[in-house]
Amino acid sequence: MSTRSHVKHFFLYYITPLVSKIKLVLNYLIGLLPDSSITDTYCCRTDWTLVSKMGSIFRSEEMALAQLFIQPEAAYSIISELGEAGCVQFRDLNDEVSSFQRRFVNEVLRCNEMERQLRFIEAEIRKDSINIPDVTEVPKAPNPREIIDLEAHLETVEGEMKELNDGAVGLKSNSLEIKEFKYVLEKFRLFFSDQNEVNVFDSAQVALTSEENQNVTGRLEFVAGVINRERVYGFERMLWRVSRGNIFFKLFDIEAPLEDPINGKEVYKAVFFAFFQGEQLKTKVKKICTGFHASLYPCPTTAEEAKNMLADISTRLEDLTMVLNQTQDHRHRVLISVAKDLQNWTVMVNKIKAIYHTLNCFSMDVVKKFMIGECWVPCTDIPTVQKALADGSSTCGSSIPSFLNVISNTDEPPTFYRTNKFTRGFQNLIDAYGVASYREVNPGLYTIITFPFLFAVMFGDCGHALIMTAFGLWMILAEKKLIAKKKNEIFRIFFGGRYIILLMGLFSFYTGFLYNDMFSKSMNVFRSQWFVNSSRFYPEDDDEHELLPKANYHGTPYFMGIDPVWQLASNKIIFLNSFKMKLSIIFGVVHMIFGVCVGTANFIHFRKYSSLFLEFLPQLLFLVFLFFYLVVMIFMKWIWYSGELDGWIDEIVIEHGTSCSPSVLIYFINMFLMGSSSPNDGCDEYMYEGQKIIQIVLLLGALLCIPVMLLGKPLYVMFTKNKANKANPVTIRQNGGTNQEAEGKADHQEHEEEEEPISEVFIHQAIHTIEYTLSTVSHTASYLRLWALSLAHAQLSEVLWTKVLHYSLFLGTIIDCVLIFVAFGLWAVFTVTILVLMEGLSAFLHTLRLHWVEFMSKFYVGTGYLFQPFSFKLILEEDSEE
């Protein structure tokens, strides 16, 4: 067997199965495992074919524009099946037709009427504080015959509710009148109890008779009634002005509130008595009472008559209260029985309305025998759509099958990613900046790792990370209970990013362990490798020491992270400043280079091979020649130069020691200025031989990349303009198994670019080149926020420890011990609110900016639009949120 056969046999039987298994594992980790808890965002299928869909999160799925030819009698059932599947996005073919001129406008109006009835019934149920149970099993959309039954049933329930309400309002109105009459009689007896009736009227008559009208005779009359307290002031003033002071007015407040029979609110009222003379004045008083909505009641003329009327009124009130209670009990039982099915009715009505809205987007063929609709559908879901067409036709018993036809087009398809509850949060971060263009590389895949890591670089503290991890883990473990509860907007945002919070906490614990920082204190886990000979180098009473490598160092590094002895060093800030600043530069340059390299996947996929040499290569070389060289110098300085002080003890000058350690920043500045700096005595000017020549070559190489980026693509477009006109459109096959649609779109985009005036191409490329070259410098400096926020977080944590909690630990008296609990409470509150919440939010926003601006600007276009399928699940979720 030849060598070629051996290689072929090896790849066929060993490498290929291994790659297949790796794909399965990656799909599982990415979150494409379809089970009841981790399911697709849109497609509600639970078969294992999803596991084979590698790349759905790396690049949006291939979409096909399909035409549906549906029998009118089967249209309702088919759209219902497609709504349950949730994998097609319909296009409106009746844009020029108003909403009131469409085919199914009457059905939509009927659904609106049923929604109004359901809102009325729900309001009545809420009014009685009856619990509405959630839906245990989501019902399917009813068929047209069941819709008629549901409509009739809702109308019956609404009629019964209105009848009960009208009866209850009438009984409450009668009860209110009887109660008011009872209060009037009670106040009447109270007012006339200790006085003789004739004497009272005579005294009132004398008080109302003025000196000018002493000859006027006539019996004194009065009216009694009930009025709202807030109207008493205006009512009394109006009576006084109309009668010119010839009215005797007496007011008594009703202590207990009375229920309004219309809205059920409690109102406070008062009983009044108004004494006057003359029929004309009596007419005016009654009109004023009517205008102020005061209720007038007849009063007896004698105390005995008042007593009998009060007894009769009390009996009638008891009978009416008993009838009213029975009516309320019956109403309550009816509402309880209705509440059990209210959510199911609401779901069914929402589905019915969504179906008819979708059918209004269809058009009829010429002979009006088929309904035609257009929809975007993922190529892998075409069999699902075909199955829905067959099931819908069989459900209604249609003899003529409905079918699907994939058509070619030049419109940009929507962007669709299959996400689950783990990847959805990271994808939302990307979509908030801009939805990826069709088949563009998705940054969301890399964000799963890079986002929590860059956050952790700024938030590195083991203690604070444990708090954040515990919060994220609690939301994940209790997510079923939290989903069932109604959440406010702020907590809904935290809950949606629960997996992001968990990963940020775990990564922060890792970086905090490397920083050796837990609530601003260090952990001596692997035993410090430093020692201090204070008898030789330092006074014995010093609390802090400056760590000098040759005098204090054992010679072996700390096993992992930063040595805990730096917590006691006076030069800790200087060391951490240098260390974290260099780390931020390294991470930033590597992150930007990775972003430039990711763009190659777009160029290769869309077959823009010229951009690989005219855009990607000069951009990468420009970044490598300048800033990656800076990273290389940082590592060279760390490796070549030791921490020993040259000749500090033995008067021996060491070639690569601390005194000869160069400044990388000075080298980098001199590289641009082509200058030099004078080294220390006995030290070399450069780190290695030929450094100056290499730096000049790298600088010239970076400068040569600029004209390539500026003129390369415009000149290429200008020279290949004639060839672009020969491009042929490519149609996709019905099975959707190839990438021909993406190829056709790429050809279409290249054709548009080439048809663009050459002057526009030069202008756009000049803007892009200037933006890239200038932003490279600013973006590299922007990554210094990793260093700045990390130091700020550590210093703020140390301030809280030393100024709040540290002093209380050394108090000795019993009374002072109580202050320890107070100090610990303050420290805990400040730690959670300031360091975890506020600092965490600040680090989150800075990390978001690093991804949106510094990373994604290197390759991401983000001019697409999301795939929004017709899905009952999404419709019900949006309705519940509203």
Side-chain angles (χ1 to χ4, degrees), residues 760-771:
E760 296 287 339
V761 177
F762 273 100
I763 293 174
H764 292 166
Q765 194 63 24
I767 295 174
H768 180 70
T769 303
I770 295 172
E771 180 184 4

Side-chain angles (χ1 to χ4, degrees), residues 443 445-447 450 588-600 616 620 623 855 858-859:
L445 177 62
Y446 315 110
T447 306
T450 59
V589 173
V590 172
H591 199 213
M592 288 191 297
I593 291 176
F594 176 66
V596 174
C597 294
V598 170
T600 58
F616 161 69
L620 180 63
L623 196 58
F855 173 62
K858 301 295 186 295
F859 66 96

Side-chain angles (χ1 to χ4, degrees), residues 43 45 47 49 53 61-62 64 66 68 81-82 85 87-88 377-392 402-406 418 733-737:
C43 296
R45 297 176 292 114
D47 54 73
T49 57
K53 293 181 180 177
E61 289 203 9
E62 291 187 47
L68 302 180
E81 294 292 335
L82 292 176
C87 53
V88 294
V377 55
C379 294
T380 53
D381 288 331
I382 291 179
T384 304
V385 178
Q386 293 173 340
K387 184 177 183 299
L389 294 175
D391 293 343
S402 302
F403 59 93
L404 175 146
N405 180 31
V406 178
R418 296 188 189 273
R733 295 184 299 178
Q734 184 173 353
N735 57 10

